[in-house]
Amino acid sequence: MTQSLTIARPDDWHLHLRDGAMLQAVLPESARHFARAIIMPNLVPPVVTHADAAAYHQRILAALPADQSFDPLMVLYLTEETDPEDVAAAHASGLVKAVKLYPAGATTNSASGVQDFDKVRGVLEKMAEIGLPLCVHGEVTNSDIDIFDREAVFIDRVLDPIRRATPGLRVVMEHITTKDGVDYVKANDSDLGATITTHHLIINRNHILAGGIKPHYYCLPVAKRESHRLALRAAATSGDARFFLGTDSAPHIDPLKENACGCAGCFTATNTMALLAHVFEEEGALDQLEKFASRNGPGFYGLPVNTETLTLTKSDQPTQFPEKIASGDGPVTVFDPGFPVYWDVA
Ligand code: NCD
Ligand code: ZN
């Protein structure tokens, strides 16, 4: 028996598209299902200025296959040199929808991130004034803080002080991985939202480390223990308008993942919607999938919900997802949930 679910076309509120040959390879994987995405600016060099964002936007549109529609929502990478007036102009032009805060050294290509938060105070105040959201990679980078504690410590030491010092600043905690993140969002008002990835609803840290190390499950923030995964599932399926999908689909070629010092990032663009249908069905919450993937994100960003739709169908045969996507730079492994999935996009 075929079961089907039609929802408003989803958006991805946290996506890495890269550039050049990799952009060419991965963009169609997202554009096939998603209407829009918040495009992460951690290129080398990063997308820092309005002009950088305009040029990257052009390169994304140039790489888009003619038969696909996709609206890249551009993001500026916050540095200690960022000019508040450039940010305001980028927002006023309609091109830029958020600014991204990476603590220096927190993750892939974050060397230009912020070390001294006082140096970005002027930018944050300008953003609060004009209503431009700040997306934060919520991990401290201190070597004395255990990697599994870095999100919780970031909330106390960095995020809460920034929010208190900048009233009216709208903040998205990106890719939350802990119950602490869920609880912090729930304890605050609608100026604070959070994205949740597909893979953090599926794996905990045992999946990465037990029975042999699985490099394709390694991402940042790293998956935590099972109780945190369950808290993320409860938040994502709750319908609460402050939680929405950001896949953090982050392609790296296999030689850089299967490596003595492997890169962080899970590539989930290809099968995210099918995996989410599986997860939401397991939670008895298929009726909440549209809010998580298609409604809550536009609500937070003040954008209209897409008028097109996406239909998911469930069959009695497991869906065969491609194991890898080929790119001009090399193969990229598609996230494997480790169990059969019967859903697919129709
Ligand atoms: C991202 C990447 O590869 O750019 N990696 C990841 O593990 N998520 C960076 C990021 O979002 O932290
Ligand atoms: Zn990311």
Side-chain angles (χ1 to χ4, degrees), residues 25-26 28-30 32-33 216 254 267-272 274-275 318-327 331-338 341 343-345:
V26 300
E29 298 301 301
S30 286
R32 191 170 295 136
H33 301 156
H216 296 289
D254 285 350
F267 180 68
T268 57
T270 306
N271 53 1
T272 274
L275 300 187
T319 309
Q320 300 297 318
F321 300 112
E323 200 186 319
K324 294 174 196 294
I325 296 295
S327 85
V332 176
T333 292
V334 175
F335 179 79
D336 174 1
V341 171
W343 288 92
D344 201 1
V345 176

Side-chain angles (χ1 to χ4, degrees), residues 14 16 18 42 102 107-108 137 175 219-220 248 250 252 264-265:
H14 180 130
H16 297 270
R18 316 298 191 204
N42 62 331
Y102 289 99
T107 186
T108 312
H137 182 107
H175 43 48
C219 68
L220 289 172
D248 195 15
H252 294 276

Side-chain angles (χ1 to χ4, degrees), residues 42-340:
N42 62 331
L43 304 182
V44 186
V47 178
V48 173
T49 64
H50 183 190
D52 295 339
Y56 187 29
H57 185 248
Q58 285 307 311
R59 297 199 296 281
I60 295 169
L61 293 184
L64 187 67
D67 61 345
Q68 288 189 329
S69 68
F70 183 72
D71 185 7
L73 309 175
M74 306 311 290
V75 177
L76 301 181
Y77 184 120
L78 182 61
T79 73
E80 292 177 7
E81 281 75 48
T82 296
D83 173 8
E85 293 313 318
D86 185 63
V87 170
H91 172 248
S93 76
L95 181 82
V96 163
K97 298 290 188 242
V99 173
K100 174 79 188 232
L101 167 65
Y102 289 99
T107 186
T108 312
N109 305 334
S110 62
S112 323
V114 175
Q115 251 162 346
D116 179 354
F117 290 88
D118 285 336
K119 296 212 172 113
V120 297
R121 179 137 314 284
V123 181
L124 299 181
E125 280 165 6
K126 175 59 82 177
M127 289 168 62
E129 179 192 320
I130 63 182
L132 182 61
L134 179 72
C135 294
V136 297
H137 182 107
E139 290 189 288
V140 292
T141 53
N142 317 47
S143 57
D144 60 325
I145 304 294
D146 189 277
I147 189 165
F148 293 102
D149 297 334
R150 287 180 178 188
E151 182 170 298
V153 173
F154 180 87
I155 293 170
D156 290 344
R157 288 197 193 165
V158 183
L159 182 57
D160 200 58
I162 286 181
R163 294 189 61 248
R164 284 176 194 281
T166 328
L169 181 66
R170 315 205 64 227
V171 175
V172 183
M173 279 183 79
E174 304 255 58
H175 43 48
I176 55 170
T177 58
T178 58
K179 180 170 187 303
D180 311 68
V182 169
D183 290 345
Y184 185 70
V185 171
K186 286 208 270 194
N188 283 277
D189 57 21
S190 60
D191 278 346
L192 181 65
T195 58
I196 301 177
T197 76
T198 306
H199 51 282
H200 287 116
L201 297 174
I202 293 174
I203 59 167
N204 64 33
R205 62 194 192 180
N206 279 10
H207 294 92
I208 311 172
L209 296 171
I213 192 160
K214 315 293 187 316
H216 296 289
Y217 287 164
Y218 173 61
C219 68
L220 289 172
V222 70
K224 309 298 191 294
R225 63 168 66 240
E226 178 66 357
S227 53
H228 294 294
R229 186 185 72 102
L230 296 178
L232 297 173
R233 278 199 172 209
T237 57
S238 67
D240 186 322
R242 295 168 293 184
F243 297 103
F244 40 94
L245 173 63
T247 66
D248 195 15
S249 183
H252 294 276
I253 56 168
D254 285 350
L256 296 180
K257 293 287 296 175
E258 300 164 8
N259 186 299
C261 183
C263 291
C266 296
F267 180 68
T268 57
T270 306
N271 53 1
T272 274
M273 290 311 301
L275 300 187
L276 286 175
H278 177 101
V279 166
F280 276 64
E281 184 181 42
E282 264 183 359
E283 298 295 323
L286 271 177
D287 58 333
Q288 303 292 354
L289 179 58
E290 184 178 60
K291 287 189 195 138
F292 180 67
S294 317
R295 292 192 172 271
N296 294 349
F300 186 91
Y301 278 90
L303 295 169
V305 173
N306 298 308
T307 51
E308 308 97 340
T309 58
L310 180 105
T311 297
L312 290 144
T313 56
K314 186 183 181 190
S315 74
D316 45 19
Q317 292 302 313
T319 309
Q320 300 297 318
F321 300 112
E323 200 186 319
K324 294 174 196 294
I325 296 295
S327 85
D329 293 338
V332 176
T333 292
V334 175
F335 179 79
D336 174 1
F339 47 75

